[in-house]
Amino acid sequence: MINEKRVKLMTRMAAYEDGEFRRHKAVIGFFRSDYISLQMVKTVIATTIAYAILFGLYLMYDFEKFMKEIYQMDVFQFIKTVVILYLVMLAVFMLITYVVSLYRYNRSLQSTRLYYGNLKKLSQFYQEEE
């Protein structure tokens, strides 16, 4: 005889395995600190590239004006401003990355624990049948 609860449980588990399980398994394959650190390193690289592109675009936008003013401006102050803006941008993105990575890790961990709990329930259904 078909056990309705078991069939529903198996259907939910199969849907999870086909969808999110692969992504969640990849995330929880790391320790939490390792996963977050990896995401932070990726963010530093991406932010540095993005800032370099934005800075290049800023210079190209009005390059003639920049070249005229370069002899009159305080270069050290300009470099200091550029570095401070980079650090602010980096700090903002690092904070966002930390929060998002922590949320993703915890969600993946919780979903995977639920999946393994459902496996135990399924095993109990089979043991009760015997």
Side-chain angles (χ1 to χ4, degrees):
M1 184 167 185
I2 296 177
N3 186 343
E4 237 180 90
K5 288 182 182 179
R6 187 177 71 200
V7 171
K8 286 181 183 179
L9 184 61
M10 289 172 70
T11 304
R12 262 188 288 146
M13 290 172 60
Y16 177 69
E17 283 177 3
D18 289 341
E20 297 178 358
F21 183 67
R22 289 185 186 103
R23 284 183 285 141
H24 289 178
K25 191 173 181 181
V27 169
I28 64 165
F30 293 100
F31 290 111
R32 182 184 339 199
S33 60
D34 293 342
Y35 176 73
I36 292 173
S37 297
L38 177 65
Q39 299 307 313
M40 296 284 229
V41 168
K42 288 179 184 179
T43 299
V44 168
I45 293 168
T47 302
T48 302
I49 292 169
Y51 189 78
I53 291 170
L54 288 173
F55 183 69
L57 289 173
Y58 168 75
L59 289 180
M60 289 176 151
Y61 175 70
D62 204 0
F63 191 68
E64 185 178 338
K65 179 182 173 188
F66 177 74
M67 289 306 290
K68 286 180 183 176
E69 292 178 358
I70 196 164
Y71 297 109
Q72 298 168 354
M73 74 168 68
D74 184 11
V75 177
F76 291 114
Q77 182 63 33
F78 178 73
I79 292 173
K80 183 179 174 184
T81 304
V82 168
V83 170
I84 288 173
L85 288 174
Y86 169 71
L87 292 176
V88 167
M89 182 177 168
L90 187 64
V92 168
F93 283 124
M94 293 287 276
L95 179 65
I96 292 169
T97 299
Y98 179 79
V99 170
V100 169
S101 298
L102 186 62
Y103 173 76
R104 285 182 182 168
Y105 188 86
N106 288 335
R107 188 184 67 194
S108 296
L109 188 64
Q110 183 181 13
S111 295
T112 307
R113 283 182 180 164
L114 182 63
Y115 173 76
Y116 287 122
N118 286 338
L119 276 177
K120 286 181 184 179
K121 285 181 188 176
L122 187 62
S123 176
Q124 289 173 356
F125 281 138
Y126 280 114
Q127 287 177 359
E128 288 173 4
E129 271 187 11
E130 294 175 1

PDB file of all heavy atoms in Angstrom, residues 4-17:
ATOM      1  N   GLU A   4       1.008   7.861   1.791  1.00  0.00           N
ATOM      2  CA  GLU A   4       0.903   9.230   1.254  1.00  0.00           C
ATOM      3  C   GLU A   4       1.948  10.175   1.828  1.00  0.00           C
ATOM      4  O   GLU A   4       2.541  10.982   1.101  1.00  0.00           O
ATOM      5  CB  GLU A   4      -0.499   9.783   1.555  1.00  0.00           C
ATOM      6  CG  GLU A   4      -1.242  10.206   0.326  1.00  0.00           C
ATOM      7  CD  GLU A   4      -2.613  10.731   0.681  1.00  0.00           C
ATOM      8  OE1 GLU A   4      -2.702  11.956   0.914  1.00  0.00           O
ATOM      9  OE2 GLU A   4      -3.556   9.935   0.731  1.00  0.00           O
ATOM     10  N   LYS A   5       2.190  10.081   3.118  1.00  0.00           N
ATOM     11  CA  LYS A   5       3.180  10.960   3.748  1.00  0.00           C
ATOM     12  C   LYS A   5       4.569  10.712   3.169  1.00  0.00           C
ATOM     13  O   LYS A   5       5.322  11.651   2.913  1.00  0.00           O
ATOM     14  CB  LYS A   5       3.210  10.728   5.259  1.00  0.00           C
ATOM     15  CG  LYS A   5       2.007  11.244   5.997  1.00  0.00           C
ATOM     16  CD  LYS A   5       2.149  11.015   7.477  1.00  0.00           C
ATOM     17  CE  LYS A   5       0.916  11.496   8.215  1.00  0.00           C
ATOM     18  NZ  LYS A   5       1.042  11.246   9.668  1.00  0.00           N
ATOM     19  N   ARG A   6       4.884   9.435   2.961  1.00  0.00           N
ATOM     20  CA  ARG A   6       6.196   9.100   2.419  1.00  0.00           C
ATOM     21  C   ARG A   6       6.355   9.635   0.993  1.00  0.00           C
ATOM     22  O   ARG A   6       7.397  10.170   0.628  1.00  0.00           O
ATOM     23  CB  ARG A   6       6.405   7.590   2.454  1.00  0.00           C
ATOM     24  CG  ARG A   6       7.811   7.198   2.059  1.00  0.00           C
ATOM     25  CD  ARG A   6       8.046   5.728   2.162  1.00  0.00           C
ATOM     26  NE  ARG A   6       7.309   5.088   1.087  1.00  0.00           N
ATOM     27  CZ  ARG A   6       6.967   3.813   1.057  1.00  0.00           C
ATOM     28  NH1 ARG A   6       7.265   3.037   2.070  1.00  0.00           N
ATOM     29  NH2 ARG A   6       6.316   3.300   0.040  1.00  0.00           N
ATOM     30  N   VAL A   7       5.293   9.519   0.195  1.00  0.00           N
ATOM     31  CA  VAL A   7       5.350  10.005  -1.179  1.00  0.00           C
ATOM     32  C   VAL A   7       5.521  11.516  -1.208  1.00  0.00           C
ATOM     33  O   VAL A   7       6.321  12.055  -1.985  1.00  0.00           O
ATOM     34  CB  VAL A   7       4.089   9.574  -1.965  1.00  0.00           C
ATOM     35  CG1 VAL A   7       4.033  10.253  -3.314  1.00  0.00           C
ATOM     36  CG2 VAL A   7       4.042   8.067  -2.117  1.00  0.00           C
ATOM     37  N   LYS A   8       4.804  12.237  -0.362  1.00  0.00           N
ATOM     38  CA  LYS A   8       4.946  13.700  -0.297  1.00  0.00           C
ATOM     39  C   LYS A   8       6.360  14.092   0.118  1.00  0.00           C
ATOM     40  O   LYS A   8       6.961  15.004  -0.446  1.00  0.00           O
ATOM     41  CB  LYS A   8       3.931  14.290   0.686  1.00  0.00           C
ATOM     42  CG  LYS A   8       2.519  14.304   0.187  1.00  0.00           C
ATOM     43  CD  LYS A   8       1.585  14.915   1.208  1.00  0.00           C
ATOM     44  CE  LYS A   8       0.149  14.872   0.745  1.00  0.00           C
ATOM     45  NZ  LYS A   8      -0.759  15.445   1.747  1.00  0.00           N
ATOM     46  N   LEU A   9       6.874  13.383   1.112  1.00  0.00           N
ATOM     47  CA  LEU A   9       8.221  13.657   1.594  1.00  0.00           C
ATOM     48  C   LEU A   9       9.251  13.392   0.497  1.00  0.00           C
ATOM     49  O   LEU A   9      10.153  14.202   0.264  1.00  0.00           O
ATOM     50  CB  LEU A   9       8.525  12.805   2.823  1.00  0.00           C
ATOM     51  CG  LEU A   9       9.862  13.034   3.517  1.00  0.00           C
ATOM     52  CD1 LEU A   9       9.956  14.464   4.031  1.00  0.00           C
ATOM     53  CD2 LEU A   9      10.038  12.051   4.651  1.00  0.00           C
ATOM     54  N   MET A  10       9.098  12.294  -0.201  1.00  0.00           N
ATOM     55  CA  MET A  10      10.036  11.958  -1.277  1.00  0.00           C
ATOM     56  C   MET A  10       9.950  12.975  -2.421  1.00  0.00           C
ATOM     57  O   MET A  10      10.960  13.336  -3.025  1.00  0.00           O
ATOM     58  CB  MET A  10       9.758  10.546  -1.798  1.00  0.00           C
ATOM     59  CG  MET A  10      10.146   9.466  -0.811  1.00  0.00           C
ATOM     60  SD  MET A  10       9.628   7.830  -1.317  1.00  0.00           S
ATOM     61  CE  MET A  10      10.703   7.538  -2.707  1.00  0.00           C
ATOM     62  N   THR A  11       8.748  13.464  -2.707  1.00  0.00           N
ATOM     63  CA  THR A  11       8.576  14.458  -3.767  1.00  0.00           C
ATOM     64  C   THR A  11       9.264  15.768  -3.388  1.00  0.00           C
ATOM     65  O   THR A  11       9.966  16.376  -4.204  1.00  0.00           O
ATOM     66  CB  THR A  11       7.083  14.710  -4.022  1.00  0.00           C
ATOM     67  OG1 THR A  11       6.453  13.466  -4.326  1.00  0.00           O
ATOM     68  CG2 THR A  11       6.871  15.686  -5.148  1.00  0.00           C
ATOM     69  N   ARG A  12       9.089  16.198  -2.144  1.00  0.00           N
ATOM     70  CA  ARG A  12       9.752  17.420  -1.679  1.00  0.00           C
ATOM     71  C   ARG A  12      11.267  17.282  -1.729  1.00  0.00           C
ATOM     72  O   ARG A  12      11.982  18.190  -2.151  1.00  0.00           O
ATOM     73  CB  ARG A  12       9.335  17.740  -0.242  1.00  0.00           C
ATOM     74  CG  ARG A  12       8.244  18.776  -0.155  1.00  0.00           C
ATOM     75  CD  ARG A  12       7.999  19.217   1.263  1.00  0.00           C
ATOM     76  NE  ARG A  12       7.332  18.119   1.965  1.00  0.00           N
ATOM     77  CZ  ARG A  12       7.501  17.806   3.236  1.00  0.00           C
ATOM     78  NH1 ARG A  12       8.290  18.519   3.990  1.00  0.00           N
ATOM     79  NH2 ARG A  12       6.878  16.797   3.793  1.00  0.00           N
ATOM     80  N   MET A  13      11.748  16.125  -1.312  1.00  0.00           N
ATOM     81  CA  MET A  13      13.188  15.900  -1.299  1.00  0.00           C
ATOM     82  C   MET A  13      13.759  15.858  -2.720  1.00  0.00           C
ATOM     83  O   MET A  13      14.835  16.397  -2.976  1.00  0.00           O
ATOM     84  CB  MET A  13      13.507  14.599  -0.548  1.00  0.00           C
ATOM     85  CG  MET A  13      13.265  14.712   0.949  1.00  0.00           C
ATOM     86  SD  MET A  13      13.402  13.146   1.806  1.00  0.00           S
ATOM     87  CE  MET A  13      15.067  12.688   1.449  1.00  0.00           C
ATOM     88  N   ALA A  14      13.031  15.240  -3.638  1.00  0.00           N
ATOM     89  CA  ALA A  14      13.497  15.174  -5.023  1.00  0.00           C
ATOM     90  C   ALA A  14      13.530  16.566  -5.652  1.00  0.00           C
ATOM     91  O   ALA A  14      14.465  16.902  -6.388  1.00  0.00           O
ATOM     92  CB  ALA A  14      12.609  14.247  -5.838  1.00  0.00           C
ATOM     93  N   ALA A  15      12.529  17.385  -5.344  1.00  0.00           N
ATOM     94  CA  ALA A  15      12.513  18.758  -5.879  1.00  0.00           C
ATOM     95  C   ALA A  15      13.689  19.554  -5.326  1.00  0.00           C
ATOM     96  O   ALA A  15      14.331  20.329  -6.053  1.00  0.00           O
ATOM     97  CB  ALA A  15      11.198  19.441  -5.533  1.00  0.00           C
ATOM     98  N   TYR A  16      13.988  19.368  -4.067  1.00  0.00           N
ATOM     99  CA  TYR A  16      15.126  20.067  -3.459  1.00  0.00           C
ATOM    100  C   TYR A  16      16.438  19.590  -4.065  1.00  0.00           C
ATOM    101  O   TYR A  16      17.329  20.389  -4.353  1.00  0.00           O
ATOM    102  CB  TYR A  16      15.123  19.848  -1.947  1.00  0.00           C
ATOM    103  CG  TYR A  16      16.292  20.477  -1.243  1.00  0.00           C
ATOM    104  CD1 TYR A  16      16.405  21.855  -1.139  1.00  0.00           C
ATOM    105  CD2 TYR A  16      17.306  19.701  -0.695  1.00  0.00           C
ATOM    106  CE1 TYR A  16      17.477  22.445  -0.508  1.00  0.00           C
ATOM    107  CE2 TYR A  16      18.391  20.270  -0.063  1.00  0.00           C
ATOM    108  CZ  TYR A  16      18.464  21.640   0.032  1.00  0.00           C
ATOM    109  OH  TYR A  16      19.539  22.219   0.657  1.00  0.00           O
ATOM    110  N   GLU A  17      16.571  18.277  -4.274  1.00  0.00           N
ATOM    111  CA  GLU A  17      17.798  17.733  -4.858  1.00  0.00           C
ATOM    112  C   GLU A  17      18.032  18.265  -6.267  1.00  0.00           C
ATOM    113  O   GLU A  17      19.165  18.540  -6.654  1.00  0.00           O
ATOM    114  CB  GLU A  17      17.738  16.201  -4.916  1.00  0.00           C
ATOM    115  CG  GLU A  17      17.991  15.532  -3.603  1.00  0.00           C
ATOM    116  CD  GLU A  17      17.837  14.017  -3.700  1.00  0.00           C
ATOM    117  OE1 GLU A  17      17.587  13.496  -4.802  1.00  0.00           O
ATOM    118  OE2 GLU A  17      17.980  13.367  -2.662  1.00  0.00           O
TER     119      GLU A  17
END
